[in-house]
Amino acid sequence: MIAHQSCILVVDDNESVRDILSMLLEARGHRVVIARNGQEALDMMRRESVDLVLLDIMMPVMDGYDVLRWMRVDPELSSKPVVVLTAIHDTESIIKCIEMGADDYLFKPINRAVLMARVDASVEKKRLRDVEHKHIMELAILQQIDRELNASLNLGEVARITLGWAMRQTDAQGGLIGIVEDDKLIILQNEHLPYEEEEVILLKALTGGAKTNGRLQTIQLTPEQTSVKNVQHRLIVPIQREGVVNCLMLLDKEQTPNKNDLNFLSRLRDHAAIALVNAQLHAAVQEANQAKSDFISLVSHELKTPIAVIRNYAELITSGRSGDVSPKQYRFIETIRTNVLRMKALVSDLDDISRIESGRLRLDLAHVALENVLDEVVSIVEQQATQKQQKIFIHLDPQLPLLWADRFRLSQILTNLMSNASKYSPEQHDIFIRAAVVRHDGEAFVQIEVEDNGIGIRDTDKQSIFKQFFRSADKKVRAALGTGLGLNIVRRLVELHNGQIWFESAYRKGTTFFFTVPIAETAVSTPQIS
Ligand code: ADP
């Protein structure tokens, strides 16, 4: 007897050949099915899970060549091993059959020893091929699972994908997956078990007291422990990262879990562990970000009132309405006033950041004439520039169309860039503003440039320029006041407009910031209204 019983299909129109082969093969422990011609053989192969075909060539109805031809084009049959039975010395037929996909041949009359050797070899080859095929299929499934898991950083979605694959591949009728916290499980995803999403349950109640010590286990369920009909078995699948069980999956099944279930689940949990941890980290980062935004929002809101009060009192004192003010006191109050204005600007920046980060900043988009906005911005920045004897030169394309922008925010972008250009340039170094229509990826935008001939940006600072709170350690930067929030807000505002921002800079020579703003569609060819 051999270790693996195989199902062998004997195809021959000669009854005595069929009988002899059947007898010999059955005596060897194989299961034998028979067919009298090619047509019956194909029908039988489609009905039965045949491991090997012993195929006669010359037969009525459909001969061996036709069987091979049909098998080759049928994906279900093309990998089945075939040994052709042929008359001795019929080399031509053997060559033809091997060319058509047959694996081996046997001469008639059949020699028992040769038959057994060929059958054993073919059956073993088929077994190895099946094992290989199974591994390839498993790999393909795991690759697909990885693709799905890697596409998401959302914890609920990762849990849903993991549980879905686990239930499908193990034929489970119910299941759930959740996060382990001490002796409890917080449910992330549940299929047909009597719990709510995000419900917190004692692990002991779910696992019948079995320890979730990192090992895959199966427990027997009593009818009270499951609401799924006929289910009797529960697979407990701990998912661990670096030796710590941080997630747990339960799968309830009608049939006893088998070796394939356990093998698949042990691979799945390794793949899912990384994705689940990443998703948990992502959720934690988002939560921390939210907490930061909430804090900034609270602080900036709470500071607004005291700042306004200090400012009003400072103005009241300088107005002389509360009594005489000595020149020295006047200077002190002026210092208070300028610093309060700085605080006000900082609070307003913080407020913008918290509103942008929480998605609460909405643009009020409308048709905007750049020239009008620039008039306003120049009047704001002029004082600062004049103090440094800097002139502002503006050159706009005469055909410049209207912009599709939030006028207030566009003014904020330009004020920031122009104020930086003045702040980071020595005295008497002028500022240049240009605007023209450009095309990016086939779409027309207005590109605005703010150029200075100032201190420039060091190469090592270039990648950090738009980061929150970044200020260069360059002494000439530190000589000016600043918070490092302006350009971060500017970038986000430009991006909210669907524009892009970048810069070119040469250290100690100067810097040019470029940004794009969409054109108001109806105004593409309309000359600018001033
Ligand atoms: P702040 O000016 O308040 O420091 P910003 O966010 O506006 O903050 O700018 C961030 C940093 O970028 C500045 O501290 C400076 O190092 C650099 N920077 C910005 N604009 C210029 C410029 N026109 N020339 C040189 N460096 C600049």
Side-chain angles (χ1 to χ4, degrees), residues 153-154 279-293:
L153 269 176
N154 177 298
Q280 274 172 281
L281 288 175
H282 182 71
V285 169
Q286 275 189 320
E287 214 173 287
N289 254 335
Q290 187 56 46
K292 187 193 79 175
S293 288

Side-chain angles (χ1 to χ4, degrees), residues 307 310-315 318 329-347 383 387 481-483:
I307 287 173
I310 297 171
R311 196 175 152 205
N312 290 344
Y313 275 102
E315 269 163 16
T318 40
Q329 284 171 329
Y330 189 85
R331 272 206 323 277
F332 289 166
I333 299 290
E334 264 312 294
T335 311
I336 293 176
R337 238 169 56 86
T338 32
N339 278 287
V340 164
L341 285 179
R342 276 185 62 202
M343 268 171 80
K344 194 169 166 257
L346 172 64
V347 165
Q383 195 192 357
Q387 272 174 9
L481 292 171
T483 57

Side-chain angles (χ1 to χ4, degrees), residues 420 423-424 452 456-457 465 470-472 477 482-484 486-487 511:
N420 275 355
K423 189 161 73 167
Y424 298 117
D452 65 54
I457 298 169
I465 284 299
F470 175 80
R471 301 205 73 215
S472 170
V477 169
T483 57
L487 282 185
T511 306

Side-chain angles (χ1 to χ4, degrees), residues 18 26 70 102 143 177 183 187 244 301 348 385 450 467 478:
R18 291 199 303 264
E26 276 168 0
W70 276 104
Q143 270 176 354
I177 183 167
D183 57 348
I187 297 181
V244 181
H301 183 77
S348 153
V450 179
K467 284 188 190 151
R478 294 296 164 141

Side-chain angles (χ1 to χ4, degrees), residues 259-398:
K259 224 173 93 196
N260 285 344
D261 294 343
L262 297 175
N263 281 343
F264 173 76
L265 290 173
S266 106
R267 291 209 182 91
L268 173 68
R269 69 177 179 156
D270 288 346
H271 287 247
I274 305 165
L276 283 163
V277 167
N278 285 346
Q280 274 172 281
L281 288 175
H282 182 71
V285 169
Q286 275 189 320
E287 214 173 287
N289 254 335
Q290 187 56 46
K292 187 193 79 175
S293 288
D294 291 350
F295 177 72
I296 290 180
S297 161
L298 177 90
V299 168
S300 59
H301 183 77
E302 292 301 317
L303 282 175
K304 272 182 193 160
T305 316
I307 287 173
V309 172
I310 297 171
R311 196 175 152 205
N312 290 344
Y313 275 102
E315 269 163 16
L316 185 72
I317 296 171
T318 40
S319 72
R321 275 183 281 144
S322 60
D324 290 342
V325 184
S326 71
K328 197 171 173 185
Q329 284 171 329
Y330 189 85
R331 272 206 323 277
F332 289 166
I333 299 290
E334 264 312 294
T335 311
I336 293 176
R337 238 169 56 86
T338 32
N339 278 287
V340 164
L341 285 179
R342 276 185 62 202
M343 268 171 80
K344 194 169 166 257
L346 172 64
V347 165
S348 153
D349 280 355
L350 288 174
D351 192 40
D352 279 350
I353 283 183
S354 91
R355 295 211 293 148
I356 293 170
E357 286 186 350
S358 61
R360 283 183 293 120
L361 194 141
R362 298 257 178 273
L363 294 183
D364 187 7
L365 294 170
H367 293 66
V368 175
L370 182 62
E371 200 177 310
N372 296 350
V373 180
L374 278 170
D375 283 348
E376 186 182 297
V377 175
V378 168
S379 71
I380 299 169
V381 184
E382 213 163 29
Q383 195 192 357
Q384 177 190 348
T386 314
Q387 272 174 9
K388 294 179 86 176
Q389 297 152 56
Q390 297 160 334
K391 287 200 265 317
I392 300 171
F393 294 97
I394 299 179
H395 177 81
L396 305 183
D397 185 332

